[in-house]
Amino acid sequence: MNNHSLNGVNLSILSGVQGDTRRYRAFHLCEQFKLVNLLCSPSHLTDRSVKKVTEKAGLLILQRVAFDAIAAQIIDCARSRNAIILCDLDDLVFLRDSFQWIDSPDFADPIRARLYQDNLERNRQTIEQCEGIIVSTDYLAEQVKSFGKPVWVHRNAFSLEMFACAQEALSSRSSSANNVIVGYASGTPTHDRDFQLIQPTLKKMLEDYPDLHLHLIGHVSKKLNWGKALPQVQYLPFVPWRILPHFLAQFSINLAPLRLDNPFSQSKSEIKYVEAALLKVPTIASPTAAFRYAIRHGENGFLATSVEEWQDCLRELIENPGLRTGIGEVAYQDVLERYSPWVRTDEAIRLLNSVIQTLRPGWELLPEVTMSPITNPMEYQPLWISENIEKHPTLVERGVYTVRT
């Protein structure tokens, strides 16, 4: 085997975070590589065996890894082997100014606030140690240009297991044109200000349509004033992602508001559209760069900025069940064609070849592929990431790592 070829050489994706960020950016990318039989291993910075897992990587991707002593050792080891070292980012977590744009209740604690600011600086240090950067949106690509490194955009995609969960939810859902449910799902408390953009509009819609219901999933403030419409509002707890499709499938309309004057919100990807579209649920979103990329207004979803636009889009979808069905179906076909793991796999190989041509022009390129659509994701269960892997690192493991470093 050519020593300068990635063929047969391990690709290692090292994460420094957990949750949906790790799932979309590390686990899903690893699955895409495995679909074409590339060796790929996901690991976490806190793993005891992390150095062993990454020590033979021909290409090392650091997925939101904040620089520290162990990260430095891993990077030095990879550099000594002439491995390609890339950084992967899906959020604005590398600018010192980012802190002022993040609306997190955790920052009421000055210790947590200082730790987060320190994390932003250490994320910058990691980027500076890498040869190139992979990001999830064009907006982020513009933001990282100041580092003077090559940048590639690899957009988020659903995984095969997400596809299987969505198929199950679709087959089991029951809906009625007379039971319209507008829904919003929040993964973190940092989106309260985003949701408050449309809360007065939603209150008016609930008042104007007594049969309309609003489902709020996850971290949504319960202090909002709904007035007489409160009985129409249902708060639901945060649910694991494997269960979430069964809740989203009950939505008639999915909401994705983001503040356009907040760079942190602007940096978000279009996954709220993708997750709903997999369930044939139409989305109304704020026209951030990512949602403008994903949504063709009036065709596979709606974009709304002003109060009047949000009202008009909501009324149109509330009053027209046929439109909801039609938009939902187009959105479903759209994400299969643009956001599926088989499509992203083709793009991932092209991305790797672009990385090689840019950073290691003497290396052998990978053969490009064109995968056929996958209709039965259950056949690929061996590629799925187990729940046990997702559970780590635990709080105790993270504490031990902090002591070690």
mmCIF file of all heavy atoms in Angstrom, residues 101-131:
data_model
loop_
_atom_site.group_PDB
_atom_site.id
_atom_site.type_symbol
_atom_site.label_atom_id
_atom_site.label_comp_id
_atom_site.label_asym_id
_atom_site.label_seq_id
_atom_site.Cartn_x
_atom_site.Cartn_y
_atom_site.Cartn_z
ATOM 1 N N TRP A 101 -23.119 36.896 22.505
ATOM 2 C CA TRP A 101 -24.279 36.586 21.674
ATOM 3 C C TRP A 101 -25.015 35.336 22.136
ATOM 4 O O TRP A 101 -26.055 34.992 21.564
ATOM 5 C CB TRP A 101 -23.839 36.398 20.218
ATOM 6 C CG TRP A 101 -23.176 37.605 19.632
ATOM 7 C CD1 TRP A 101 -23.561 38.908 19.785
ATOM 8 C CD2 TRP A 101 -22.023 37.623 18.800
ATOM 9 N NE1 TRP A 101 -22.720 39.744 19.105
ATOM 10 C CE2 TRP A 101 -21.752 38.978 18.476
ATOM 11 C CE3 TRP A 101 -21.176 36.634 18.276
ATOM 12 C CZ2 TRP A 101 -20.679 39.359 17.681
ATOM 13 C CZ3 TRP A 101 -20.113 37.025 17.475
ATOM 14 C CH2 TRP A 101 -19.876 38.368 17.186
ATOM 15 N N ILE A 102 -24.486 34.647 23.136
ATOM 16 C CA ILE A 102 -25.082 33.382 23.571
ATOM 17 C C ILE A 102 -25.975 33.627 24.776
ATOM 18 O O ILE A 102 -25.522 34.109 25.818
ATOM 19 C CB ILE A 102 -24.000 32.342 23.909
ATOM 20 C CG1 ILE A 102 -23.067 32.146 22.721
ATOM 21 C CG2 ILE A 102 -24.637 31.008 24.311
ATOM 22 C CD1 ILE A 102 -21.851 31.299 23.014
ATOM 23 N N ASP A 103 -27.232 33.286 24.642
ATOM 24 C CA ASP A 103 -28.213 33.497 25.719
ATOM 25 C C ASP A 103 -28.361 32.204 26.505
ATOM 26 O O ASP A 103 -29.262 31.411 26.264
ATOM 27 C CB ASP A 103 -29.553 33.924 25.111
ATOM 28 C CG ASP A 103 -30.611 34.163 26.174
ATOM 29 O OD1 ASP A 103 -30.234 34.570 27.293
ATOM 30 O OD2 ASP A 103 -31.798 33.925 25.891
ATOM 31 N N SER A 104 -27.451 31.992 27.457
ATOM 32 C CA SER A 104 -27.478 30.760 28.246
ATOM 33 C C SER A 104 -27.687 31.081 29.720
ATOM 34 O O SER A 104 -26.972 31.917 30.289
ATOM 35 C CB SER A 104 -26.170 29.985 28.071
ATOM 36 O OG SER A 104 -26.128 28.884 28.956
ATOM 37 N N PRO A 105 -28.640 30.397 30.376
ATOM 38 C CA PRO A 105 -28.836 30.614 31.816
ATOM 39 C C PRO A 105 -27.627 30.187 32.630
ATOM 40 O O PRO A 105 -27.447 30.632 33.769
ATOM 41 C CB PRO A 105 -30.072 29.756 32.137
ATOM 42 C CG PRO A 105 -30.155 28.756 31.029
ATOM 43 C CD PRO A 105 -29.611 29.432 29.818
ATOM 44 N N ASP A 106 -26.784 29.328 32.065
ATOM 45 C CA ASP A 106 -25.582 28.890 32.781
ATOM 46 C C ASP A 106 -24.651 30.056 33.092
ATOM 47 O O ASP A 106 -23.892 30.014 34.068
ATOM 48 C CB ASP A 106 -24.801 27.859 31.946
ATOM 49 C CG ASP A 106 -25.508 26.518 31.862
ATOM 50 O OD1 ASP A 106 -26.435 26.296 32.662
ATOM 51 O OD2 ASP A 106 -25.138 25.700 31.003
ATOM 52 N N PHE A 107 -24.719 31.094 32.256
ATOM 53 C CA PHE A 107 -23.772 32.186 32.414
ATOM 54 C C PHE A 107 -24.130 33.112 33.567
ATOM 55 O O PHE A 107 -23.398 34.083 33.835
ATOM 56 C CB PHE A 107 -23.653 32.971 31.108
ATOM 57 C CG PHE A 107 -23.100 32.156 29.970
ATOM 58 C CD1 PHE A 107 -23.279 32.564 28.659
ATOM 59 C CD2 PHE A 107 -22.415 30.977 30.207
ATOM 60 C CE1 PHE A 107 -22.774 31.808 27.608
ATOM 61 C CE2 PHE A 107 -21.903 30.211 29.170
ATOM 62 C CZ PHE A 107 -22.086 30.624 27.864
ATOM 63 N N ALA A 108 -25.237 32.834 34.235
ATOM 64 C CA ALA A 108 -25.538 33.569 35.465
ATOM 65 C C ALA A 108 -24.522 33.208 36.547
ATOM 66 O O ALA A 108 -24.297 33.969 37.487
ATOM 67 C CB ALA A 108 -26.954 33.249 35.940
ATOM 68 N N ASP A 109 -23.921 32.038 36.400
ATOM 69 C CA ASP A 109 -22.854 31.589 37.297
ATOM 70 C C ASP A 109 -21.533 32.116 36.736
ATOM 71 O O ASP A 109 -21.108 31.712 35.649
ATOM 72 C CB ASP A 109 -22.837 30.060 37.342
ATOM 73 C CG ASP A 109 -21.763 29.505 38.258
ATOM 74 O OD1 ASP A 109 -20.835 30.258 38.618
ATOM 75 O OD2 ASP A 109 -21.836 28.309 38.604
ATOM 76 N N PRO A 110 -20.851 33.015 37.444
ATOM 77 C CA PRO A 110 -19.613 33.606 36.898
ATOM 78 C C PRO A 110 -18.522 32.582 36.627
ATOM 79 O O PRO A 110 -17.710 32.778 35.719
ATOM 80 C CB PRO A 110 -19.198 34.612 37.984
ATOM 81 C CG PRO A 110 -19.912 34.174 39.227
ATOM 82 C CD PRO A 110 -21.193 33.559 38.770
ATOM 83 N N ILE A 111 -18.502 31.500 37.379
ATOM 84 C CA ILE A 111 -17.488 30.468 37.151
ATOM 85 C C ILE A 111 -17.736 29.784 35.810
ATOM 86 O O ILE A 111 -16.817 29.594 35.008
ATOM 87 C CB ILE A 111 -17.485 29.440 38.298
ATOM 88 C CG1 ILE A 111 -17.055 30.113 39.600
ATOM 89 C CG2 ILE A 111 -16.564 28.260 37.970
ATOM 90 C CD1 ILE A 111 -17.099 29.201 40.808
ATOM 91 N N ARG A 112 -19.000 29.429 35.545
ATOM 92 C CA ARG A 112 -19.328 28.793 34.265
ATOM 93 C C ARG A 112 -19.081 29.751 33.099
ATOM 94 O O ARG A 112 -18.641 29.333 32.027
ATOM 95 C CB ARG A 112 -20.790 28.337 34.263
ATOM 96 C CG ARG A 112 -21.063 27.143 35.164
ATOM 97 C CD ARG A 112 -22.445 26.598 34.925
ATOM 98 N NE ARG A 112 -22.715 25.418 35.724
ATOM 99 C CZ ARG A 112 -23.799 24.652 35.596
ATOM 100 N NH1 ARG A 112 -24.703 24.965 34.673
ATOM 101 N NH2 ARG A 112 -23.976 23.603 36.357
ATOM 102 N N ALA A 113 -19.385 31.009 33.330
ATOM 103 C CA ALA A 113 -19.159 32.004 32.275
ATOM 104 C C ALA A 113 -17.673 32.091 31.937
ATOM 105 O O ALA A 113 -17.292 32.121 30.759
ATOM 106 C CB ALA A 113 -19.683 33.366 32.717
ATOM 107 N N ARG A 114 -16.810 32.125 32.959
ATOM 108 C CA ARG A 114 -15.374 32.195 32.709
ATOM 109 C C ARG A 114 -14.865 30.927 32.038
ATOM 110 O O ARG A 114 -14.001 30.975 31.159
ATOM 111 C CB ARG A 114 -14.620 32.432 34.027
ATOM 112 C CG ARG A 114 -14.746 33.846 34.562
ATOM 113 C CD ARG A 114 -13.665 34.150 35.575
ATOM 114 N NE ARG A 114 -13.732 33.264 36.723
ATOM 115 C CZ ARG A 114 -14.462 33.498 37.811
ATOM 116 N NH1 ARG A 114 -15.199 34.598 37.880
ATOM 117 N NH2 ARG A 114 -14.460 32.655 38.826
ATOM 118 N N LEU A 115 -15.391 29.769 32.456
ATOM 119 C CA LEU A 115 -14.978 28.514 31.840
ATOM 120 C C LEU A 115 -15.347 28.477 30.364
ATOM 121 O O LEU A 115 -14.574 27.985 29.527
ATOM 122 C CB LEU A 115 -15.628 27.328 32.571
ATOM 123 C CG LEU A 115 -15.055 26.981 33.946
ATOM 124 C CD1 LEU A 115 -15.909 25.920 34.628
ATOM 125 C CD2 LEU A 115 -13.614 26.488 33.825
ATOM 126 N N TYR A 116 -16.524 29.000 30.021
ATOM 127 C CA TYR A 116 -16.939 29.004 28.619
ATOM 128 C C TYR A 116 -16.054 29.940 27.799
ATOM 129 O O TYR A 116 -15.666 29.611 26.668
ATOM 130 C CB TYR A 116 -18.404 29.418 28.488
ATOM 131 C CG TYR A 116 -18.956 29.134 27.101
ATOM 132 C CD1 TYR A 116 -19.511 27.903 26.787
ATOM 133 C CD2 TYR A 116 -18.881 30.098 26.096
ATOM 134 C CE1 TYR A 116 -19.995 27.626 25.513
ATOM 135 C CE2 TYR A 116 -19.356 29.827 24.816
ATOM 136 C CZ TYR A 116 -19.908 28.591 24.532
ATOM 137 O OH TYR A 116 -20.363 28.332 23.276
ATOM 138 N N GLN A 117 -15.730 31.090 28.362
ATOM 139 C CA GLN A 117 -14.848 32.010 27.659
ATOM 140 C C GLN A 117 -13.468 31.392 27.443
ATOM 141 O O GLN A 117 -12.851 31.563 26.386
ATOM 142 C CB GLN A 117 -14.738 33.325 28.441
ATOM 143 C CG GLN A 117 -16.026 34.152 28.397
ATOM 144 C CD GLN A 117 -15.983 35.349 29.319
ATOM 145 O OE1 GLN A 117 -15.789 35.211 30.531
ATOM 146 N NE2 GLN A 117 -16.136 36.534 28.760
ATOM 147 N N ASP A 118 -13.005 30.654 28.443
ATOM 148 C CA ASP A 118 -11.734 29.941 28.304
ATOM 149 C C ASP A 118 -11.833 28.890 27.200
ATOM 150 O O ASP A 118 -10.896 28.694 26.424
ATOM 151 C CB ASP A 118 -11.366 29.280 29.641
ATOM 152 C CG ASP A 118 -10.108 28.433 29.537
ATOM 153 O OD1 ASP A 118 -9.027 28.995 29.319
ATOM 154 O OD2 ASP A 118 -10.217 27.188 29.660
ATOM 155 N N ASN A 119 -12.990 28.233 27.113
ATOM 156 C CA ASN A 119 -13.204 27.220 26.087
ATOM 157 C C ASN A 119 -13.156 27.833 24.693
ATOM 158 O O ASN A 119 -12.611 27.231 23.755
ATOM 159 C CB ASN A 119 -14.539 26.522 26.337
ATOM 160 C CG ASN A 119 -14.751 25.312 25.460
ATOM 161 O OD1 ASN A 119 -15.331 25.408 24.386
ATOM 162 N ND2 ASN A 119 -14.304 24.155 25.914
ATOM 163 N N LEU A 120 -13.721 29.028 24.530
ATOM 164 C CA LEU A 120 -13.674 29.711 23.238
ATOM 165 C C LEU A 120 -12.231 29.939 22.810
ATOM 166 O O LEU A 120 -11.871 29.719 21.650
ATOM 167 C CB LEU A 120 -14.402 31.055 23.322
ATOM 168 C CG LEU A 120 -15.924 31.036 23.499
ATOM 169 C CD1 LEU A 120 -16.437 32.459 23.705
ATOM 170 C CD2 LEU A 120 -16.613 30.398 22.314
ATOM 171 N N GLU A 121 -11.404 30.369 23.753
ATOM 172 C CA GLU A 121 -10.002 30.635 23.430
ATOM 173 C C GLU A 121 -9.274 29.340 23.085
ATOM 174 O O GLU A 121 -8.460 29.308 22.148
ATOM 175 C CB GLU A 121 -9.321 31.330 24.623
ATOM 176 C CG GLU A 121 -7.856 31.636 24.408
ATOM 177 C CD GLU A 121 -7.613 32.517 23.194
ATOM 178 O OE1 GLU A 121 -8.471 33.377 22.900
ATOM 179 O OE2 GLU A 121 -6.571 32.332 22.530
ATOM 180 N N ARG A 122 -9.574 28.255 23.791
ATOM 181 C CA ARG A 122 -8.898 26.987 23.512
ATOM 182 C C ARG A 122 -9.375 26.379 22.195
ATOM 183 O O ARG A 122 -8.626 25.674 21.529
ATOM 184 C CB ARG A 122 -9.087 26.016 24.682
ATOM 185 C CG ARG A 122 -8.336 26.482 25.934
ATOM 186 C CD ARG A 122 -8.243 25.440 27.022
ATOM 187 N NE ARG A 122 -9.526 25.100 27.590
ATOM 188 C CZ ARG A 122 -10.069 23.889 27.540
ATOM 189 N NH1 ARG A 122 -9.434 22.901 26.926
ATOM 190 N NH2 ARG A 122 -11.238 23.660 28.086
ATOM 191 N N ASN A 123 -10.606 26.662 21.798
ATOM 192 C CA ASN A 123 -11.059 26.250 20.465
ATOM 193 C C ASN A 123 -10.257 26.970 19.386
ATOM 194 O O ASN A 123 -9.901 26.381 18.360
ATOM 195 C CB ASN A 123 -12.553 26.554 20.290
ATOM 196 C CG ASN A 123 -13.446 25.568 21.020
ATOM 197 O OD1 ASN A 123 -13.053 24.435 21.277
ATOM 198 N ND2 ASN A 123 -14.653 25.997 21.347
ATOM 199 N N ARG A 124 -9.962 28.233 19.616
ATOM 200 C CA ARG A 124 -9.132 29.002 18.675
ATOM 201 C C ARG A 124 -7.752 28.364 18.561
ATOM 202 O O ARG A 124 -7.194 28.245 17.461
ATOM 203 C CB ARG A 124 -8.979 30.455 19.144
ATOM 204 C CG ARG A 124 -10.199 31.325 18.977
ATOM 205 C CD ARG A 124 -9.886 32.755 19.384
ATOM 206 N NE ARG A 124 -8.834 33.327 18.564
ATOM 207 C CZ ARG A 124 -9.033 33.904 17.388
ATOM 208 N NH1 ARG A 124 -10.251 33.981 16.898
ATOM 209 N NH2 ARG A 124 -8.030 34.408 16.715
ATOM 210 N N GLN A 125 -7.200 27.970 19.677
ATOM 211 C CA GLN A 125 -5.861 27.383 19.666
ATOM 212 C C GLN A 125 -5.845 26.087 18.855
ATOM 213 O O GLN A 125 -4.882 25.810 18.126
ATOM 214 C CB GLN A 125 -5.397 27.110 21.097
ATOM 215 C CG GLN A 125 -5.154 28.366 21.917
ATOM 216 C CD GLN A 125 -4.787 28.040 23.357
ATOM 217 O OE1 GLN A 125 -4.118 27.061 23.644
ATOM 218 N NE2 GLN A 125 -5.240 28.877 24.275
ATOM 219 N N THR A 126 -6.911 25.301 18.968
ATOM 220 C CA THR A 126 -6.992 24.063 18.188
ATOM 221 C C THR A 126 -7.025 24.368 16.693
ATOM 222 O O THR A 126 -6.340 23.718 15.894
ATOM 223 C CB THR A 126 -8.230 23.244 18.587
ATOM 224 O OG1 THR A 126 -8.134 22.882 19.969
ATOM 225 C CG2 THR A 126 -8.337 21.979 17.747
ATOM 226 N N ILE A 127 -7.828 25.346 16.295
ATOM 227 C CA ILE A 127 -7.898 25.721 14.884
ATOM 228 C C ILE A 127 -6.512 26.115 14.377
ATOM 229 O O ILE A 127 -6.097 25.733 13.275
ATOM 230 C CB ILE A 127 -8.897 26.883 14.681
ATOM 231 C CG1 ILE A 127 -10.318 26.437 15.039
ATOM 232 C CG2 ILE A 127 -8.845 27.382 13.235
ATOM 233 C CD1 ILE A 127 -11.340 27.555 14.991
ATOM 234 N N GLU A 128 -5.788 26.866 15.188
ATOM 235 C CA GLU A 128 -4.468 27.327 14.777
ATOM 236 C C GLU A 128 -3.491 26.168 14.591
ATOM 237 O O GLU A 128 -2.528 26.264 13.828
ATOM 238 C CB GLU A 128 -3.941 28.344 15.792
ATOM 239 C CG GLU A 128 -4.696 29.673 15.737
ATOM 240 C CD GLU A 128 -4.464 30.541 16.960
ATOM 241 O OE1 GLU A 128 -3.755 30.066 17.889
ATOM 242 O OE2 GLU A 128 -4.985 31.669 17.004
ATOM 243 N N GLN A 129 -3.728 25.054 15.288
ATOM 244 C CA GLN A 129 -2.861 23.888 15.193
ATOM 245 C C GLN A 129 -3.190 23.007 13.983
ATOM 246 O O GLN A 129 -2.402 22.129 13.633
ATOM 247 C CB GLN A 129 -2.977 23.041 16.468
ATOM 248 C CG GLN A 129 -2.456 23.706 17.732
ATOM 249 C CD GLN A 129 -0.949 23.824 17.733
ATOM 250 O OE1 GLN A 129 -0.242 22.943 17.263
ATOM 251 N NE2 GLN A 129 -0.433 24.935 18.257
ATOM 252 N N CYS A 130 -4.362 23.233 13.380
ATOM 253 C CA CYS A 130 -4.815 22.378 12.275
ATOM 254 C C CYS A 130 -4.411 22.956 10.929
ATOM 255 O O CYS A 130 -4.070 24.131 10.808
ATOM 256 C CB CYS A 130 -6.330 22.214 12.346
ATOM 257 S SG CYS A 130 -6.883 21.296 13.800
ATOM 258 N N GLU A 131 -4.468 22.101 9.903
ATOM 259 C CA GLU A 131 -4.087 22.511 8.553
ATOM 260 C C GLU A 131 -5.272 23.028 7.743
ATOM 261 O O GLU A 131 -5.092 23.754 6.762
ATOM 262 C CB GLU A 131 -3.456 21.331 7.815
ATOM 263 C CG GLU A 131 -2.199 20.792 8.464
ATOM 264 C CD GLU A 131 -1.716 19.538 7.766
ATOM 265 O OE1 GLU A 131 -1.080 19.668 6.704
ATOM 266 O OE2 GLU A 131 -1.999 18.437 8.279
#
